[in-house]
Amino acid sequence: MQAQHQDTMKDVLTKTIRIQKEMRGRRYRDVAAKLQEAVDALGNFRMEDWPPKSLPATPEWMQDSKKAPDQEELGSALAFGDLDVNGNGNHHVTENGESQQQEEPAEEATTSTVAESADGDDTSAAEPAAETPMANGGSLEPPFDESSTTEPMHGAVKISLAAYTMVLSHPSRTTRVCEMALDCTTTLLNNRYVSGKAGGRDEDNSTSKGQDPPPPSLLYALMQSIAKCSESSSDTVQLGVVKALMALMTSPKCG
């Protein structure tokens, strides 16, 4: 996973540097500053462990206490009848402190119950089984899990997407920079570095009375900038737009 992460970040970083070189000049001053920030962030992100290593479920200082009994202890317990073959206890302590072995359930009661049920009329077998309604209106597919869309994105990914949004929506954008920006966006989406909701505003940007509406979400702005590139007459850009929108709509971490 770490090698794949480094290769992916190397590819994205290389193309971002090429975009930076293509967009030099006074008219690209605002975009150049954001691209330089993205290059620095991607360079640092490439050397980090991704995805981050999760902590063990059981701390090391508690693992010894949950150690299974060895074969010698288990054999002695079986010899004295304290445990059965499955490792379950066969004794219980009474109120007087005496240990008594648990008695096996009598088979006569079971046999008599089966016999009585065989002599009587069994009407329950003739009744049809109750139908259980399927979830999701008759569909067997699991419900969509929106928890993945709320996973936080790495800061380098946010900065890079903001830079690509500025590149794709710039009035003086060229075909070459659009191709590379779309390719970088698709790579980040396909490798599940991007998460969030692209259909509106961010969850934490709640509106209140008397205040201006918050800005649209990052993915929403990115989707709008990708749609603007569809005005290009280049076949390569058109193909890049289709791939980027397809990756955005089919990503399990984007809603």
Side-chain angles (χ1 to χ4, degrees):
M1 292 296 292
Q2 185 62 19
Q4 181 181 359
H5 164 68
Q6 292 182 356
D7 293 341
T8 303
M9 286 298 104
K10 181 181 179 181
D11 181 40
V12 174
L13 179 59
T14 302
K15 294 177 181 178
T16 306
I17 294 175
R18 291 178 182 174
I19 298 174
Q20 185 184 24
K21 292 180 179 180
E22 291 285 338
M23 303 189 72
R24 288 179 178 177
R26 183 174 298 178
R27 56 180 177 177
Y28 300 122
R29 185 180 303 173
D30 53 345
V31 184
K34 198 65 177 180
L35 285 172
Q36 182 61 46
E37 187 179 357
V39 168
D40 297 338
L42 289 173
N44 296 329
F45 184 36
R46 180 189 174 191
M47 305 309 299
E48 296 181 10
D49 292 335
W50 192 265
K53 298 179 180 179
S54 58
L55 297 176
T58 305
E60 295 181 358
W61 61 273
M62 294 181 61
Q63 293 178 0
D64 295 338
S65 60
K66 295 185 178 182
K67 184 177 62 175
D70 53 12
Q71 296 295 331
E72 184 177 355
E73 296 177 356
L74 186 61
S76 60
L78 290 172
F80 287 98
D82 294 337
L83 297 175
D84 58 8
V85 178
N86 296 326
N88 301 320
N90 293 329
H91 289 73
H92 70 276
V93 180
T94 61
E95 297 180 356
N96 298 330
E98 297 178 356
S99 176
Q100 297 181 357
Q101 187 173 3
Q102 296 179 359
E103 297 180 355
E104 296 292 335
E107 297 181 357
E108 290 79 2
T110 305
T111 306
S112 60
T113 305
V114 174
E116 292 176 1
S117 61
D119 296 339
D121 295 335
D122 190 3
T123 59
S124 61
E127 296 178 357
E131 297 181 358
T132 57
M134 291 182 295
N136 300 332
S139 175
L140 294 177
E141 296 181 358
F144 177 71
D145 186 13
E146 293 188 356
S147 61
S148 58
T149 62
T150 59
E151 295 180 3
M153 283 189 296
H154 194 276
V157 178
K158 291 182 178 180
I159 296 173
S160 301
L161 292 180
Y164 303 146
T165 301
M166 297 177 66
V167 171
L168 296 174
S169 60
H170 199 277
S172 300
R173 63 186 181 272
T174 62
T175 302
R176 182 176 177 82
V177 297
C178 287
E179 293 175 3
M180 291 186 291
L182 289 171
D183 194 8
C184 292
T185 303
T186 305
T187 301
L188 293 176
L189 286 167
N190 288 334
N191 288 275
R192 301 188 179 184
Y193 287 99
V194 184
S195 61
K197 294 185 177 180
R201 306 181 185 276
D202 291 328
E203 293 290 340
D204 53 352
N205 292 335
S206 57
T207 58
S208 58
K209 295 181 179 180
Q211 296 183 0
D212 295 334
S217 64
L218 176 59
L219 291 187
Y220 182 80
L222 178 64
M223 184 174 61
Q224 294 295 324
S225 64
I226 294 174
K228 286 183 179 180
C229 292
S230 62
E231 302 172 359
S232 176
S233 59
S234 174
D235 295 338
T236 308
V237 174
Q238 293 288 340
L239 181 60
V241 169
V242 173
K243 289 182 178 179
L245 291 178
M246 184 67 67
L248 183 63
M249 296 303 176
T250 58
S251 175
K253 302 181 68 174
C254 297

